[in-house]
Amino acid sequence: MLWLVLFMLLGALALAVFYEVRTSRLQSREFSRYAATLTYQLEPGPSQTVQFPQSGPFDERLGYTRLPALLARLEQQHFVVEQQTQFSNALLNYSQRGFFIPYPEKNRAGLGLSDCRAEPVYEHFYPQRHFAHFHDIAPQILHTLLFIENRALLNTEQPLANPAVDWPRFVKAALSQLGRALELQDDSAGGSTLATQIEKFRHSPGGLTHSASEKLRQMISASVRAYQQGPETLAARQRVALSYLNSVPLAAAPGHGEVHGLGDGLWVWFDTRLERVNTLLDPAQNTGLPMDEQGLALRRVMALMIAQRRPSYYLFAGRNELESITDSYLRLQADAGLITPALRDAALARQLNFRNFSDNPVLQRVEGSKLLHASRGRLAGLLGLGYYELDRLDLQAETTLNAELQQKISRYLNELADPEVARTIGLYGKRLLSPEKTAEVRYSFTLFERGEHSFNVRVQTDNTGQPFDINDSSKLELGSTAKLRVLTTYLQMVAELHRLHADKTLPALKELTPHRNDTLSRWALDYLMRHQADRDLNSMLTAALERRFSASPHERFFTGGGLHTFANFRKQDNGRRPTMIESLRESINLPFIRLMRELVRHALYQDEQRARLLSDDKDPQRLTYLRQFADKEGTVFLRRFWNKYHNKPHEERLDAFFDSVRPLRSRMAAAHRYLQPEAGLDEFNAFMRRQLPLDHKLTDSRIEKLYHQHGPGAWSLPDQGYIARKHPLELWLLGYLRQHPEASFSDAVAASAEPRQEVYGWLFKTRHRSARDSRMRTMLEIEVFSEIHERWQQLGFPFEQLVPSLATAIGSSGDRPAALAELIGIILNDGVRVPVVRINSLHFADRTPYEVHLGPDPNRGQRVMPSEVATALRYALSQVVEGGTARRLQGSFSLTDGSPLVLGGKTGTGDNRIETVTRYGQVIKSEARNRTATFVFYLGDRHFGTLTAYVPGEQADNFHFTSALPVQVLKGMEPILRPYLQPGAQTLCHQQFAASEHVPRNEG
């Protein structure tokens, strides 16, 4: 009886299993119920529950596996997460168990880049050729796929069928695996359905099934995905077929990279269009089309469906075998009645004829506009990716650029090469151009808009046709534009003195005794004592701008380790004693040289310890103090040099160092022999000739003499630094890092105890105080310029050091036009520095569980100058337009109501040359390197920017234009800019973006 009951139970169980296999009723109910709990929701702020995939070709290509690293990188670059998906508890548990997250995956995605108005700038979808909908697939293509891979997939008799499991096929595969394990057969049959294959080549590590557990993970994940929209699965099974055809991997091709999907496969491997093949294989459309074309189309589709099993083999070395297998399947398909004998014969009569990549390469053309270079290149740098990887990310990004305005400005700049257009704009005349030279000048224009939390780049273009941007990426000698930085530092120091002393009583002020060489402090105290009633900062800054400095060039200045003279641009200024605001307005050099000297001395003598070093040579405490000074100051400067070099490889350190050394024989020789003492004479010879290519007197014998003269042990560390005109501790640290690349800063501090003492102790070894004092002044000048450099960096100065010379006041340290424009923006923004933004938003993985929206951090504003200083500088800059070097612009920009737009700016001209001089200073040879003229400006209270005219190379000798040229070019731009400068236009981009932000960029 027991056996009978057991037999009946087994029979009932078998019937239940048979029923379930036939109907899938139980699994459809349970899987769909469970899948309904696997949800996610886009919420404000960063997510604590999202689980990113760890591997899988699909997830890697679209960037989902990279998102944690990308988000961390973007956070370091001051982006914040504005929205991100939150997983339900069920989905979080499901993903943590290792299953693939179910959601409607995209058949194609890629980079979408729009401008600030949400107008497309660049779109790259991958795969590029695809079926948009299931019903777009030609019946013969669909039949071919199902015949080869999954014949029962679209069976309408089983509406609840699970596409992840083909039970007869699965049982056969299981038995064959068992037979192979027992060595009863050699081959095993595959049990994968199209649904599990998709899970495999999209999400499994390497796109492969490495184990039985991996196969089980694929089947469960595919089952949950199939039932996510409910128990009935016909629509899900259709999506399986569509997804497979659109994303099946088909190896990688030269010049293209990875190939996915039938559409791209046909184009890459056979140079044929998907639309044509689809028409040829659709009975509703192919009537009357040549049968041989239909046969070739079927053969190609069949071959690619077969090739996906071993694509790297079949599509290269195994092409003959692929032809043979394709013939077999064509015959089988005809025997099954799926194609006509005529179509079979037409297909058998053709050969595949693969694309010849040498004669017919796969070309992917990208428009070479400046807009695209600026935005796509910036985005690639932001994410740390190459263009190939960037284009395949599931990413929508918004640049701050205004494409419409950018195109207008670009067209305008290109038209300036036409002599007639240049004449119309007014580019001919003294200090401008002549008609035959208009095409040789390069113009670069950048326009910013001041936002609440950022400086947004609206235009970044030029007429070079090259990705390199002169304004944003170059280091140029921009002449008088440096005067703006000097004037800013001057007014900041005045404001600091006002803060220190403005509240003091008159007797207290009289008790203060600043050093006799600290002219700025003496002036400030005198002003405060004489103006008891109007001690407010605005009045003091106005008085500071009205101070007068001599413009006489008949003085030698001790700076940069020697005596130097300077000249004004106009000789008629030599006898003047202008105010500082007049000197800025008319760009007179010598007052700024003297102002810079005053600032250097103020910084020097404000520090009592420094002042003491230059005062009493017989002070018994001087040696003790010097040791303390050496230890303290040496550590400070060691930290600065450490920050400059420690993250760079050795060769990059050396390049950065030697770029900052003035190209003179002794300086280069001393530095090289110290930093590379083991270098042989041949290596030293090559280095010197590379660094001094124009020194024709640099003979082999002279090089050999320099080699031995500056060899190891020939000079002390301080002497080496003095000869090279570099801080000795900078030399020491470079040598130390070369020998100890893994050292920490604390290691460097400990190791530099004696060198720090040595750097300053040598000053007491000479009997001549004048020698000590001159060298001390040189070293202290280096330190003071390092402090001034820190001030400049707070205001956006882009380089790692200043030339420690008063010549920095007139441009010898170089600058970057866009960085100067940022300083204008800070002044326009009332002294608050906010980040310069070129990428305004990043939207990863739209409509997926990994979706995240990022934008620039709105809380990065930093006050870097008092509001009163910014106000004074705006007024000073407006005077440059009202009656100074940019007076051509006066009255040229206006509002729609006719009222003039307030303008301001600073001009600068750089004539960069290599000069050969005699020992007496006579120039005997002068070779042009480039010529630049820059105008940094503000237009009203929201817009600012820079316009640079540039001629590279020796042809610069033929040009004599000044900054009047970019000023005139900007004036000619007024009709283009006018609509964008009106009140209310500042929200144009944001309004249009908000109205169209729902438009999807990627396709599901």
Side-chain angles (χ1 to χ4, degrees):
M1 186 67 179
L2 182 60
W3 287 104
L4 180 60
V5 172
L6 184 59
F7 179 77
M8 292 178 63
L9 288 174
L10 289 174
L13 180 61
L15 287 173
V17 169
F18 178 76
Y19 178 77
E20 179 61 23
V21 168
R22 292 283 297 174
T23 66
S24 301
R25 186 170 298 276
L26 177 63
Q27 57 188 308
S28 67
R29 185 185 67 195
E30 297 305 320
F31 270 125
S32 61
R33 182 184 300 171
Y34 177 63
T37 67
L38 306 179
T39 60
Y40 54 88
Q41 184 69 37
L42 189 65
E43 300 286 352
S47 172
Q48 302 301 320
T49 61
V50 65
Q51 182 83 12
F52 294 105
Q54 302 296 313
S55 60
F58 177 86
D59 300 307
E60 292 168 358
R61 183 173 70 252
L62 297 185
Y64 303 155
T65 60
R66 296 173 183 243
L67 273 174
L70 291 176
L71 295 180
R73 179 184 176 91
L74 290 168
E75 183 180 357
Q76 292 176 351
Q77 299 184 66
H78 308 293
F79 278 78
V80 295
V81 174
E82 298 173 341
Q83 290 179 291
Q84 193 171 9
T85 52
Q86 300 276 356
F87 282 16
S88 67
N89 289 333
L91 181 58
L92 184 61
N93 291 333
Y94 179 81
S95 62
Q96 288 176 342
R97 294 174 186 272
F99 298 114
F100 308 136
I101 296 176
Y103 66 97
E105 294 181 338
K106 300 174 181 180
N107 287 323
R108 69 197 300 245
L111 176 63
L113 187 59
S114 61
D115 77 345
C116 68
R117 304 163 303 135
E119 292 296 321
V121 171
Y122 176 75
E123 290 183 330
H124 183 279
F125 289 121
Y126 182 85
Q128 296 180 9
R129 299 147 194 86
H130 81 307
F131 295 106
H133 307 286
F134 172 78
H135 298 291
D136 295 335
I137 306 170
Q140 195 59 63
I141 293 177
L142 187 61
H143 294 159
T144 299
L145 170 65
L146 299 181
F147 180 77
I148 296 174
E149 294 293 342
N150 201 164
R151 299 180 186 181
L153 176 67
L154 300 181
N155 188 342
T156 58
E157 297 177 359
Q158 297 185 27
L160 308 179
N162 183 354
V165 184
D166 183 336
W167 288 107
R169 191 173 180 179
F170 180 77
V171 171
K172 181 180 179 183
L175 291 175
S176 67
Q177 290 285 351
L178 179 62
R180 187 178 182 185
L182 297 175
E183 299 183 353
L184 299 177
Q185 62 185 68
D186 294 329
D187 298 324
S188 60
S192 295
T193 61
L194 287 180
T196 56
Q197 285 190 59
I198 291 174
E199 300 294 331
K200 175 186 69 175
F201 64 65
R202 284 188 171 184
H203 305 298
S204 291
L208 302 172
T209 304
H210 295 284
S211 63
S213 61
E214 183 63 30
K215 172 60 69 178
L216 183 61
R217 178 164 71 153
Q218 295 165 7
M219 293 174 66
I220 293 174
S221 300
S223 298
V224 172
R225 195 184 306 275
Y227 289 110
Q228 194 172 31
Q229 302 303 318
E232 296 190 0
T233 60
L234 180 59
R237 286 178 277 150
Q238 291 175 342
R239 286 196 298 272
V240 166
L242 177 66
S243 297
Y244 188 90
L245 287 171
N246 280 331
S247 58
V248 58
L250 294 171
H256 180 274
E258 292 180 308
V259 182
H260 286 86
L262 180 65
D264 275 8
L266 289 167
W267 177 69
V268 170
W269 295 113
F270 301 122
D271 193 19
T272 190
R273 294 182 298 111
L274 176 64
E275 296 81 2
R276 179 62 176 174
V277 170
N278 205 49
T279 299
L280 288 165
L281 297 180
D282 185 353
Q285 302 181 66
N286 64 10
T287 303
L289 295 180
M291 182 58 70
D292 64 330
E293 280 194 56
Q294 296 181 41
L296 180 58
L298 177 60
R299 186 176 189 84
R300 287 170 169 169
V301 170
M302 180 77 75
L304 290 177
M305 292 299 96
I306 296 168
Q308 65 83 22
R309 299 172 181 176
R310 296 176 62 192
S312 296
Y313 170 71
Y314 283 131
L315 295 173
F316 287 98
R319 291 179 179 179
N320 291 335
E321 186 176 341
L322 179 61
E323 295 267 20
S324 178
I325 298 174
T326 301
D327 288 344
S328 299
Y329 268 94
L330 287 168
R331 295 186 181 98
L332 290 172
Q333 201 173 19
D335 293 343
L338 297 176
I339 60 174
T340 64
L343 182 57
R344 174 200 62 196
D345 294 341
L348 290 172
R350 300 300 298 268
Q351 287 188 321
L352 293 175
N353 294 327
F354 286 82
R355 178 195 288 263
N356 186 319
F357 293 103
S358 298
D359 299 336
N360 184 20
V362 182
L363 299 177
Q364 299 187 66
R365 300 187 183 277
V366 176
E367 179 192 358
S369 71
K370 194 70 182 184
L371 174 64
L372 182 55
H373 288 316
S375 51
R376 186 168 169 242
R378 179 71 56 175
L379 185 59
L382 187 68
L383 299 176
L385 300 175
Y387 287 143
Y388 179 88
E389 298 169 301
L390 177 68
D391 284 348
R392 284 157 174 76
L393 290 183
D394 185 4
L395 170 62
Q396 300 166 39
E398 178 194 329
T399 175
T400 60
L401 296 173
N402 185 315
E404 179 183 61
L405 180 57
Q406 170 114 352
Q407 289 165 1
K408 291 177 180 178
I409 299 296
S410 300
R411 185 163 51 249
Y412 168 80
L413 294 180
N414 283 307
E415 288 173 349
L416 295 181
D418 185 334
E420 288 305 313
V421 173
R423 186 186 307 278
T424 302
I425 300 300
L427 301 189
Y428 300 149
K430 185 179 180 181
R431 298 174 186 169
L432 293 169
L433 299 176
S434 55
E436 68 275 6
K437 296 179 180 179
T438 57
E440 299 178 41
V441 183
R442 304 290 176 258
Y443 300 98
S444 184
F445 179 74
T446 306
L447 181 69
F448 300 81
E449 183 175 10
R450 181 170 65 93
E452 183 179 0
H453 302 294
S454 60
F455 296 149
N456 300 308
V457 181
R458 295 302 186 209
V459 178
Q460 183 176 335
T461 189
D462 56 39
N463 64 341
T464 68
Q466 300 297 321
F468 180 80
D469 185 81
I470 296 171
N471 279 340
D472 188 47
S473 305
S474 61
K475 182 177 183 178
L476 299 172
E477 200 279 281
L478 299 175
S480 294
T481 54
K483 294 170 185 172
L484 174 57
R485 294 199 185 275
V486 176
L487 189 67
T488 301
T489 303
Y490 167 53
L491 294 183
Q492 286 181 304
M493 287 183 174
V494 170
E496 291 164 5
L497 289 167
H498 179 273
R499 187 178 68 251
L500 285 173
H501 303 304
D503 294 334
K504 291 184 172 68
T505 64
L506 183 60
L509 290 173
K510 289 181 177 180
E511 290 181 2
L512 297 175
T513 56
H515 195 279
R516 65 180 182 278
N517 289 330
D518 185 3
T519 308
L520 182 58
S521 291
R522 295 170 70 86
W523 173 85
L525 293 175
D526 180 67
Y527 173 85
L528 292 172
M529 287 188 284
R530 288 187 295 103
H531 295 80
Q532 295 292 304
D534 55 348
R535 282 187 175 185
D536 63 283
L537 180 55
N538 285 323
S539 298
M540 190 171 179
L541 291 171
T542 300
L545 289 173
E546 293 299 325
R547 289 181 66 201
R548 295 182 180 275
F549 287 79
S550 171
S552 171
H554 307 302
E555 180 184 356
R556 294 194 298 172
F557 297 83
F558 182 83
T559 184
L563 290 173
H564 298 266
T565 59
F566 301 95
N568 295 310
F569 181 72
R570 300 183 309 173
K571 291 183 178 180
Q572 56 265 43
D573 291 326
N574 292 350
R576 298 178 60 187
R577 189 175 175 82
T579 65
M580 284 314 305
I581 201 163
E582 290 172 340
S583 300
L584 181 79
R585 183 175 64 212
E586 301 172 42
S587 203
I588 308 173
N589 288 342
L590 266 300
F592 277 92
I593 295 294
R594 292 185 167 94
L595 177 62
M596 179 63 95
R597 180 175 62 183
E598 185 173 289
L599 301 183
V600 169
R601 288 178 175 177
H602 173 67
L604 176 62
Y605 290 105
Q606 278 283 96
D607 188 320
E608 294 182 2
Q609 295 178 340
R610 286 176 179 159
R612 196 180 307 166
L613 284 174
L614 293 175
S615 58
D616 187 1
D617 192 45
K618 295 181 180 180
D619 186 339
Q621 298 298 318
R622 201 175 191 194
L623 181 59
T624 302
Y625 168 74
L626 183 61
R627 287 173 178 164
Q628 296 173 348
F629 177 85
D631 185 67
K632 178 182 176 182
E633 294 296 303
T635 302
V636 169
F637 280 91
L638 196 68
R639 166 64 77 178
R640 292 177 185 172
F641 299 135
W642 175 270
N643 292 338
K644 178 179 176 181
Y645 290 117
H646 83 282
N647 279 329
K648 297 179 179 178
H650 178 65
E651 292 302 323
E652 190 174 333
R653 289 180 195 139
L654 291 182
D655 289 343
F657 175 81
F658 284 117
D659 283 347
S660 67
V661 178
R662 188 175 177 183
L664 297 176
R665 300 171 195 164
S666 58
R667 296 188 185 187
M668 287 293 176
H672 186 274
R673 293 295 282 133
Y674 180 86
L675 294 175
Q676 296 183 288
E678 78 291 347
L681 179 58
D682 290 343
E683 183 179 343
F684 178 75
N685 191 318
F687 166 80
M688 293 294 286
R689 295 193 181 282
R690 185 169 62 251
Q691 296 296 124
L692 305 168
L694 300 180
D695 191 341
H696 302 297
K697 294 184 179 181
L698 195 63
T699 63
D700 288 344
S701 61
R702 185 160 294 183
I703 288 176
E704 184 175 1
K705 182 178 179 180
L706 288 168
Y707 179 79
H708 294 295
Q709 181 180 353
H710 295 283
W715 304 98
S716 67
L717 173 61
D719 285 338
Q720 294 277 37
Y722 179 75
I723 295 169
R725 296 299 192 272
K726 302 297 291 185
H727 199 295
L729 287 177
E730 185 172 6
L731 279 171
W732 178 88
L733 182 64
L734 282 169
Y736 177 77
L737 287 175
R738 182 173 181 269
Q739 297 176 0
H740 306 87
E742 303 300 324
S744 64
F745 178 69
S746 59
D747 295 332
V749 171
S752 66
E754 290 187 14
R756 292 203 306 275
Q757 295 297 322
E758 183 186 3
V759 162
Y760 295 93
W762 66 272
L763 291 170
F764 293 89
K765 296 179 182 179
T766 178
R767 292 174 299 172
H768 304 288
R769 178 176 177 178
S770 60
R772 284 198 299 275
D773 287 349
S774 66
R775 294 187 177 191
M776 179 64 80
R777 284 200 303 271
T778 297
M779 292 175 62
L780 291 178
E781 186 179 45
I782 292 173
E783 295 181 359
V784 168
F785 269 96
S786 180
E787 294 176 0
I788 293 174
H789 173 250
E790 288 185 349
R791 289 176 175 268
W792 285 21
Q793 277 194 315
Q794 290 181 350
L795 300 172
F797 184 73
F799 305 117
E800 294 181 348
Q801 61 186 5
L802 295 177
V803 175
S805 164
L806 299 183
T808 285
I810 54 176
S812 67
S813 287
D815 217 317
R816 184 171 287 159
L820 277 164
E822 184 182 0
L823 175 55
I824 295 284
I826 294 169
I827 295 168
L828 195 62
N829 204 38
D830 212 32
V832 176
R833 184 183 183 186
V834 293
V836 172
V837 174
R838 289 175 173 82
I839 300 297
N840 197 44
S841 72
L842 295 163
H843 181 184
F844 290 95
D846 180 37
R847 293 169 292 145
T848 76
Y850 318 116
E851 185 171 4
V852 57
H853 299 244
L854 298 101
D857 187 349
N859 301 312
R860 289 185 59 213
Q862 179 186 9
R863 179 163 294 282
V864 292
M865 71 174 66
S867 173
E868 295 87 348
V869 171
T871 300
L873 288 169
R874 284 198 300 274
Y875 171 73
L877 292 170
S878 72
Q879 296 304 295
V880 176
V881 173
E882 287 300 314
T885 54
R887 57 186 172 273
R888 292 168 178 271
L889 279 181
Q890 188 174 3
S892 59
F893 284 78
S894 61
L895 300 175
T896 50
D897 62 4
S899 59
L901 197 66
V902 178
L903 310 179
K906 184 67 190 83
T907 59
T909 304
D911 186 18
N912 302 304
R913 295 175 171 274
I914 295 179
E915 294 185 336
T916 304
V917 299
T918 67
R919 61 183 298 184
Y920 304 106
Q922 179 184 3
V923 178
I924 58 176
K925 185 178 181 181
S926 179
E927 295 183 1
R929 300 296 298 274
N930 59 63
R931 187 173 185 85
T932 61
T934 296
F935 181 48
V936 288
F937 57 84
Y938 66 84
L939 305 172
D941 61 357
R942 296 191 335 270
H943 294 89
F944 59 97
T946 178
L947 179 58
T948 299
Y950 176 80
V951 177
E954 295 181 359
Q955 61 178 333
D957 256 335
N958 302 321
F959 290 83
H960 304 284
F961 61 78
T962 66
S963 51
L965 177 59
V967 172
Q968 188 67 29
V969 171
L970 181 63
K971 182 178 181 179
M973 207 180 287
E974 190 275 339
I976 302 173
L977 293 175
R978 184 188 307 141
Y980 301 89
L981 304 179
Q982 304 306 314
Q986 70 267 31
T987 58
L988 177 65
C989 285
H990 304 291
Q991 286 177 344
Q992 291 195 7
F993 176 74
S996 58
E997 62 183 355
H998 66 278
V999 178
R1001 293 291 179 196
N1002 292 335
E1003 300 184 17

